[in-house]
């Protein structure tokens, strides 16, 4: 089975099969390190020709090249790999395998045998050997060793103290606590306690009680205890769990009591006895899975299966490929297993962070609910906002990780001078290198559709404010000062890169002046509804309506400038929407004309049915809010339902109400 990035590498090699391509070029295309690419290439080169129909050759100084030697066999191999998706939360890359193996070794403490592990992870023995080599190197820094015995399999040898140091550094600090601190502000009455200290307490007591838990169970438990502090301090009443089988979980309850007692000794904060029940629920989530093995359904496995299917099926979610985030999937599965137990026992949990999450991340909260409702096991349940918000925390952390990993593809437009272009490029690399990948640096007159392909946004030292593109444009000085950098970073945080799985776009709404801005540019006199028309007829009619108060020959000059703009790059932004506009301001008064053509118009050969036309006409005297409105037009492209409503509207008043509703 190929990993996701291996599939992408194969695709790229196939597209470039007539020549060699370097690992650095592949790394740039796939937004990952050169080293990672070379690791995947090595794995791909291990495949046998008689199994795949292809082989990859490497040539020093040139790079890598795919050779197809049996096209029929190759097609069969690709169909099998690309179209037979396995609902498995196994590992997609080296980092995930690394965490998976360590989790088995240090938390679950299971007997681990290399042959079984290789099969479980869908990798060769040689790949697994490379993984263990890295693990050995990292463990050695903590005076820990990997050993193997016939009756024990592979295990970690060393002191408990050193094992704990390693666990804290590698499992929690970088990935878990960093993202958690972004969302949880814990103020504990009395002596403060850190999330790290809480983790130590949980680890101690679970190991003392011989309870084997994964790191994901422990993470969820730490989240719960941390939020309990906040809940208790703010006066939340913990509801009692009625009629649940406490007698079946005496060992887990004992551990829960010891955990909260130690927390009390550390902080002076006393937990009500009801809280012990909630902690117990977290501790039995793993045991519950073990108990259910003889029944019709293994809860954990079923939840994982349904979650992976939901992540691939829910509209607007599947594009993010969350199913390949091992940490997210396992964290959510663990949390939902505990949640399932609460539902079975009619337990409702209050979330003190609910209001914060509702205000800061409404889109993530909405997305999380959609995912849960898609899962049959939860689809008929009354899911409270409190519970959904707990799950949303996992997705918020995942989105933060994605934001850090992915880069935006940008185009830099500069004046003709080589020195100024180089200066701006270097400033962007130095200041925004962790966010962007510069595809090219070009002059204004080199702009065309080919250059704009797969570009997320443009940074330009030339004022392009009068032009409308389907991607954002940031105008800067060649020195890229601090204010410009701050503005770019702020606006970029709202963007979703093309072809990547970056965070859900924040819900952007008009401010209180929205109607004033709308009325300043749009008007009933420049709004037309038509059944049929040609491109020329539409432009002629709109411009005729917009020429009131303008200079003589306004229509003719605008037509020429619109043609010039369209030669530069396409003004067709989707299958239904076109935004023609001039290359420079001409009008005395800024306006935006709108035409809705019910039956569609042939704009060009590639666009046979354009139904919605926006025609911006910027003023020579200033267009402060024009960018706000054109940005809304671009946002409309991502909202097909709203587009459909606009296309069906019967009046300017109805159009206005719908436009002001663009998010």
């Amino acid at each position: 089975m190929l990993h996701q990035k291996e599939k992408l590498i194969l695709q790229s090699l196939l597209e470039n099969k007539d020549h060699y391509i370097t690992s650095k070029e592949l790394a740039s295309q796939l937004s990952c390190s050169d080293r990672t690419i070379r690791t995947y290439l090595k794995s791909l080169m291990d495949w046998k020709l008689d199994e795949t129909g292809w082989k990859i050759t490497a040539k020093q100084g040139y790079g890598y090249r795919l050779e197809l030697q049996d096209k029929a066999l190759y097609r069969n191999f690709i169909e099998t790999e690309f179209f037979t998706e396995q609902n498995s939360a196994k590992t997609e890359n080296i980092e995930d395998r690394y965490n998976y193996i360590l989790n088995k070794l240090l938390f679950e403490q299971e007997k681990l045998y290399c042959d079984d592990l290789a099969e479980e992870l869908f990798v060769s023995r040689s790949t697994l050997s490379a993984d263990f080599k890295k693990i050995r190197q990292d463990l050695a820094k903590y005076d820990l060793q990997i050993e193997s015995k016939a009756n024990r399999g592979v295990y970690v040898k060393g002191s408990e103290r050193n094992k704990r140091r390693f666990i804290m550094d590698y499992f929690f600090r970088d990935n878990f606590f960093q993202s958690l601190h972004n969302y949880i502000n814990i103020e504990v009455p009395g002596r403060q306690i850190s999330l790290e200290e809480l983790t130590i307490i949980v680890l101690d007591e679970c190991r003392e009680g011989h309870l084997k838990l994964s790191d994901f169970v422990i993470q969820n438990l730490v989240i719960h205890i941390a939020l309990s502090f906040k809940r208790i301090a703010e006066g939340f009443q913990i509801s009692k769990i009625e009629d649940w089988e406490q007698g079946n979980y005496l060992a887990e309850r004992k551990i829960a009591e010891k955990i909260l007692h130690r927390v009390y000794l550390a902080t002076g904060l006393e937990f009500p006895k009801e809280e012990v029940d909630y902690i117990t629920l977290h501790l039995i989530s793993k045991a519950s899975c073990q108990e259910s093995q003889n029944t019709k359904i293994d809860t954990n496995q079923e939840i994982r299966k349904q979650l992976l299917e939901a992540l691939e099926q829910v509209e607007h979610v599947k594009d993010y490929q969350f199913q390949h985030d091992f940490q997210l999937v396992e964290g959510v599965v663990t949390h939902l297993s505990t949640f399932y137990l609460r539902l079975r026992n009619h337990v409702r949990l209050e979330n003190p962070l609910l209001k914060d999450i509702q205000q800061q991340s409404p889109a993530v909260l909405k997305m999380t609910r959609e995912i849960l409702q898609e899962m049959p096991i939860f689809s008929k349940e009354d899911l409270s906002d409190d519970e959904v918000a707990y799950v949303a925390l996992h997705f918020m952390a995942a989105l933060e990780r994605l934001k850090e990993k992915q880069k935006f593809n940008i185009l830099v437009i500069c004046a003709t001078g080589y020195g100024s272009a180089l200066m701006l490029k270097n400033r962007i690399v130095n200041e925004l290198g962790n966010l962007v990948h510069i595809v090219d640096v070009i002059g204004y007159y080199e702009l065309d559709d080919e250059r704009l392909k797969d570009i997320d946004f443009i940074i330009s030292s030339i004022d392009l404010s009068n032009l409308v593109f389907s991607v954002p444009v940031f105008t800067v000085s060649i020195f890229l000062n601090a204010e410009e950098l701050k503005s770019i970073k702020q606006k970029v945080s709202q963007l979703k890169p093309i072809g990547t799985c970056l965070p859900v776009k924040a819900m952007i709404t008009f401010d209180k002046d929205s109607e004033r801005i709308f009325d300043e540019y749009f008007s009933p006199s420049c709004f037309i509804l038509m059944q049929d028309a040609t491109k020329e007829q539409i432009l002629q009619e709109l411009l005729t309506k917009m020429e009131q108060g303008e200079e003589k020959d306004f229509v003719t000059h605008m037509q020429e400038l619109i043609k010039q703009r369209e030669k530069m790059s396409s003004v067709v932004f989707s299958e239904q929407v076109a935004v023609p506009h001039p290359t420079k301001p001409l009008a005395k008064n800024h306006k935006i004309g709108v035409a809705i053509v019910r039956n569609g118009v042939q704009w060009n050969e590639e666009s046979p049915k354009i139904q919605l036309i926006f025609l911006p006409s910027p003023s020579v005297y200033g267009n402060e809010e024009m960018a706000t409105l054109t940005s809304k037009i671009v946002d409309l492209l991502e909202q097909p339902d709203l587009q459909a409503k606009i296309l069906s509207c019967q009046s300017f008043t109805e159009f206005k109400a719908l436009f002001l509703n663009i998010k």
Side-chain angles (χ1 to χ4, degrees):
M1 176 181 173
L2 294 176
H3 300 304
Q4 189 64 24
K5 278 208 167 50
E6 288 174 335
K7 295 175 185 177
L8 294 172
I9 290 170
L10 269 183
Q11 282 182 314
S12 187
L13 288 171
L14 184 62
E15 290 168 1
N16 297 277
K17 66 180 187 299
D18 295 327
H19 61 270
Y20 287 91
I21 183 169
T22 67
S23 57
K24 286 185 178 179
E25 288 173 324
L26 288 167
S28 177
Q29 291 176 14
L30 298 172
S31 300
C32 56
S33 70
D34 182 37
R35 184 177 176 182
T36 297
I37 290 293
R38 282 187 276 113
T39 302
Y40 281 120
L41 281 165
K42 187 174 181 297
S43 177
L44 284 169
M45 292 168 79
D46 286 340
W47 284 86
K48 295 178 180 178
L49 179 63
D50 58 3
E51 294 176 343
T52 64
W54 53 263
K55 72 172 185 177
I56 297 171
T57 57
K59 189 174 180 182
Q60 190 148 4
Y62 290 86
Y64 300 85
R65 185 178 175 185
L66 182 73
E67 293 180 13
L68 291 182
Q69 299 200 355
D70 188 332
K71 290 185 179 180
L73 184 60
Y74 171 78
R75 276 196 299 271
N76 186 55
F77 173 81
I78 291 298
E79 284 174 3
T80 304
E81 287 291 333
F82 278 74
F83 300 108
T84 310
E85 285 293 328
Q86 301 206 17
N87 288 325
S88 167
K90 304 309 178 193
T91 51
E92 288 293 326
N93 55 41
I94 298 168
E95 184 182 352
D96 286 345
R97 289 201 308 271
Y98 177 88
N99 288 336
Y100 186 85
I101 296 167
L102 283 172
N103 182 73
K104 292 281 189 186
L105 288 168
L106 293 167
F107 286 94
E108 299 182 10
Q109 303 170 47
E110 297 179 355
K111 287 185 179 179
L112 209 58
Y113 297 98
C114 287
D115 287 339
D116 295 341
L117 194 59
E119 186 177 339
E120 196 174 342
L121 296 173
F122 301 100
V123 296
S124 65
R125 279 294 298 262
S126 62
T127 300
L128 197 62
S129 295
D131 292 340
F132 268 101
K133 183 179 179 182
K134 174 174 168 45
I135 290 172
R136 283 191 179 90
Q137 290 171 346
D138 289 336
L139 288 171
K141 300 171 188 173
Y142 295 79
D143 200 24
L144 299 171
Q145 299 85 38
I146 294 272
E147 292 207 358
S148 178
K149 288 187 178 178
N151 62 335
R152 282 191 65 181
V154 182
Y155 63 97
V156 178
K157 183 182 178 183
S159 72
E160 180 61 29
R161 184 168 178 263
N162 288 336
K163 287 180 185 178
R164 190 175 302 165
R165 282 175 54 223
F166 181 88
I167 288 168
M168 294 302 297
D169 285 347
Y170 278 82
F171 274 99
F172 297 118
R173 187 158 296 156
D174 294 335
N175 296 321
F176 175 57
F177 289 128
Q178 187 176 350
S179 54
L180 195 57
H181 281 303
N182 292 336
Y183 304 111
I184 301 179
N185 179 27
I186 305 167
E187 295 180 2
V188 186
R191 195 179 81 78
Q192 297 292 304
I193 186 170
S194 67
L195 297 170
E196 289 79 1
E197 287 179 88
L198 281 179
T199 305
I200 289 292
I201 291 172
V202 172
L203 281 172
D204 276 349
E205 297 306 326
C206 287
R207 292 193 172 199
E208 184 71 24
H210 304 289
L211 190 62
K212 298 176 182 179
L213 302 176
S214 74
D215 60 319
F216 302 104
V217 175
I218 293 168
Q219 288 179 12
N220 275 280
L221 183 52
V222 171
I223 289 175
H224 177 82
I225 297 173
L227 293 179
S228 296
F229 280 120
K230 196 174 178 79
R231 184 169 58 244
I232 293 167
E234 293 176 0
F236 281 84
Q237 295 297 312
I238 312 288
S239 58
K240 185 180 179 182
I241 302 178
E242 304 287 348
D243 303 324
W244 77 296
E245 310 279 337
Q246 297 186 38
N248 295 336
Y249 309 110
L250 293 177
E252 288 84 2
R253 186 173 181 83
K254 185 88 171 166
I255 294 170
E257 288 173 347
K258 286 185 175 182
I259 288 171
L260 291 185
H261 180 66
R262 283 189 57 181
V263 172
Y264 164 71
L265 294 176
T267 65
L269 185 68
E270 202 162 351
F271 286 78
K273 63 181 182 180
E274 289 84 3
E275 192 67 43
V276 178
D277 293 339
Y278 287 90
I279 302 296
T280 305
L281 281 174
H282 281 274
L283 295 175
I284 66 177
S285 64
K286 184 82 173 185
S288 169
C289 170
Q290 293 168 353
E291 287 173 8
S292 65
Q293 285 175 357
N294 297 323
T295 66
K296 291 183 179 180
I297 175 175
D298 182 323
T299 306
N300 267 32
Q301 289 298 330
E302 184 61 23
I303 288 174
R304 179 181 289 107
K305 175 178 175 290
Q306 292 186 15
L307 173 64
L308 289 167
E309 288 174 353
L311 293 175
E312 292 180 344
Q313 290 170 6
V314 176
E315 204 64 37
H316 310 304
V317 175
K318 56 187 178 183
D319 294 338
Y320 298 101
Q321 299 186 13
F322 286 129
Q323 64 270 27
H324 302 307
D325 185 336
F326 178 75
Q327 186 176 349
L328 169 70
V329 171
E330 291 304 306
V332 172
V333 168
T334 298
H335 186 98
L336 292 180
S337 300
T338 308
F339 179 31
Y340 181 70
L341 284 172
R342 288 202 296 273
L343 284 173
R344 268 183 18 196
N345 290 284
H346 311 290
V347 178
R348 292 180 72 90
L349 198 61
E350 291 173 313
N351 189 338
L353 290 182
L354 176 60
K355 286 185 180 178
D356 293 338
I357 295 171
Q358 286 174 330
Q359 290 173 0
Q360 296 173 19
S361 304
V364 181
L365 197 61
K366 181 173 179 278
M367 177 192 73
T368 305
R369 181 174 288 280
E370 288 174 359
I371 292 167
L372 294 176
Q373 288 174 338
E374 186 68 24
M375 299 172 64
I377 199 168
F378 299 119
S379 61
K380 296 180 181 177
E381 300 287 347
D382 180 19
L383 305 179
S384 70
D385 287 343
D386 295 271
E387 289 284 8
V388 175
Y390 272 114
V391 183
L393 279 174
H394 291 272
F395 284 98
M396 291 160 71
L399 292 169
E400 285 293 315
R401 291 194 299 273
L402 286 170
K403 191 186 289 185
E404 291 171 5
K405 289 179 181 178
Q406 301 290 341
K407 289 188 178 184
F408 295 89
N409 289 326
I410 72 166
L411 198 63
V412 178
I413 298 174
C414 205
T416 52
Y418 175 77
S420 61
L422 187 63
M423 183 185 296
L424 180 57
K425 180 183 178 181
N426 289 339
R427 283 286 292 160
I428 293 170
V429 170
N430 291 335
E431 299 292 341
L432 301 171
N434 62 325
L435 288 175
V436 304
H437 164 64
I438 299 175
V439 175
D440 206 351
V441 180
I442 63 172
Y444 168 72
Y445 292 104
E446 296 177 87
L447 262 176
D448 56 31
D449 287 333
E450 190 59 34
R451 299 277 194 182
L452 287 168
K453 188 179 178 183
D454 295 331
I455 295 296
D456 292 301
F457 63 88
I458 297 167
I459 293 180
S460 175
S461 63
I462 302 166
D463 186 5
L464 304 177
S465 59
N466 59 296
L467 301 179
V468 184
F469 297 94
S470 58
V471 297
V473 180
F474 303 116
T475 305
V476 300
S477 66
I478 60 169
F479 301 104
L480 195 60
N481 60 47
E483 281 300 312
E484 292 166 346
L485 280 168
K486 184 180 177 182
S487 175
I488 290 174
K489 287 177 181 178
Q490 188 177 9
K491 291 173 182 174
V492 164
S493 67
Q494 306 294 327
L495 299 179
K496 173 185 167 181
I498 294 173
T500 66
C501 44
L502 273 184
V504 176
K505 185 175 181 180
M507 300 293 283
I508 303 170
T509 58
F510 269 36
D511 59 26
K512 60 185 180 180
D513 293 328
S514 60
E515 192 167 1
R516 176 191 61 76
I517 297 170
F518 179 94
D519 291 339
E520 194 173 317
Y521 286 82
F522 294 94
S523 69
S525 62
C526 297
F527 176 82
I528 56 177
L529 296 171
M530 309 174 78
Q531 285 296 123
D532 296 281
T534 65
K535 174 182 175 181
E536 289 72 23
Q537 287 171 339
I538 292 167
L539 292 176
Q540 180 70 39
E541 186 160 349
L542 279 176
L543 290 171
T544 301
K545 289 179 176 292
M546 296 166 72
E547 74 172 336
Q548 186 177 352
E550 301 295 343
E551 296 287 348
K552 186 182 177 183
D553 296 327
F554 170 81
V555 174
T556 305
H557 288 158
M558 279 289 287
Q559 287 172 332
E560 290 172 358
L561 292 172
I562 289 169
K563 285 180 182 177
Q564 287 179 16
R565 169 62 184 88
E566 200 154 8
K567 285 180 182 177
M568 183 184 297
S569 65
S570 177
V571 296
V572 175
F573 287 0
S574 74
E575 290 181 0
Q576 294 175 305
V577 182
V579 190
H581 58 282
T583 52
K584 64 180 182 181
L586 183 70
K588 291 180 182 178
N589 305 298
H590 45 228
K591 301 182 182 87
I592 300 178
V594 181
I596 298 174
V597 186
R598 306 289 190 203
N599 296 330
V601 58
Q602 171 123 15
W603 199 265
N604 52 39
E605 289 183 6
E606 294 80 27
S607 309
K609 199 173 181 180
I610 297 296
Q611 293 175 279
L612 181 58
I613 297 98
F614 293 93
L615 176 52
S617 174
S619 168
V620 292
Y621 300 116
N623 308 276
E624 283 132 13
E625 275 101 11
M626 177 78 80
T628 302
L629 294 169
T630 54
S631 176
K632 286 292 173 184
I633 293 170
V634 174
D635 289 340
L636 178 62
L637 305 177
E638 299 177 8
Q639 301 174 55
D641 292 344
L642 191 57
Q643 274 188 59
K645 289 178 182 177
I646 289 176
L647 292 172
S648 302
C649 74
Q650 300 297 318
S651 66
F652 177 78
T653 303
E654 193 178 347
F655 165 77
K656 177 179 176 178
L658 291 166
F659 191 92
L660 292 175
N661 203 36
I662 296 174
K663 304 296 185 186

